[in-house]
Amino acid sequence: MLKEFSVVIEDNLRWGDMDAFQHVNNTLYFRYFEEARIAYFHKIKIIEEMKHSGIGPILKSTLCTFRIPLTFPDTISIGTKVSLIESDRFLMNYAVFSHHHQKIAAEGEGIIVSFDYPNAKKVPLPVKVVDAIRTLERF
């Protein structure tokens, strides 16, 4: 189900992830997206670039479409990929797959902007980052 995603991580749901409605609280999906996003960042070495240049990623916006509720116990796989690169940003797509249900439980996306942290301003994506994304995504 997640073959189209460049980075896939796995996690186990926790009892405490559920809310009063007896399913995983909606806020947790954004945490799942974040975990996959950070795994992707490590793969393309964007954090290393940030330590060197001060230019790194900042989340501009994110959204989630819920397909089915998740409940404990379950194992999930979270996939992420970059589907669009612009001069100063890229679009990440996410999917959360339930092993119990054998279905996609949620899909989402996030816009990541290249940010010069020392100078607090948006800047073009570093060439190394663009090249790493293009290599990983094969485009």
Side-chain angles (χ1 to χ4, degrees):
M1 291 295 288
L2 299 176
K3 290 178 186 166
E4 66 191 70
F5 291 90
S6 306
V7 173
V8 178
I9 61 171
E10 199 169 278
D11 199 3
N12 292 310
L13 299 184
R14 288 161 284 291
W15 175 257
D17 292 346
M18 294 196 304
D19 60 20
F21 298 107
Q22 300 301 303
H23 58 76
V24 171
N25 186 275
N26 63 73
T27 61
L28 273 287
Y29 290 82
F30 293 101
R31 177 64 49 95
Y32 304 149
F33 295 167
E34 178 184 57
E35 292 296 328
R37 184 169 56 248
I38 297 303
Y40 192 101
F41 287 172
H42 281 291
K43 195 152 201 147
I44 64 168
K45 300 183 181 198
I46 199 170
I47 305 300
E48 291 174 19
E49 175 65 25
M50 183 176 169
K51 288 178 184 176
H52 171 71
S53 68
I55 296 171
I58 193 164
L59 183 64
K60 179 182 189 250
S61 63
T62 189
L63 63 87
C64 183
T65 300
F66 305 98
R67 302 284 180 211
I68 60 170
L70 292 173
T71 57
F72 175 86
D74 198 351
T75 300
I76 56 172
S77 293
I78 309 112
T80 189
K81 66 180 180 177
V82 169
S83 59
L84 176 69
I85 303 174
E86 295 182 7
S87 63
D88 63 350
R89 67 193 66 209
F90 53 92
L91 176 66
M92 297 190 86
N93 302 99
Y94 314 107
V96 178
F97 177 78
S98 163
H99 291 223
H100 174 74
H101 295 284
Q102 290 293 296
K103 290 183 181 178
I104 298 292
E107 296 171 294
E109 64 182 42
I111 297 174
I112 313 302
V113 172
S114 181
F115 196 73
D116 180 339
Y117 282 88
N119 296 301
K121 65 180 184 177
K122 179 176 68 167
V123 294
L125 285 163
V127 173
K128 285 182 183 178
V129 171
V130 172
D131 289 345
I133 292 170
R134 289 189 189 282
T135 298
L136 182 58
E137 300 297 344
R138 298 183 186 126
F139 63 77

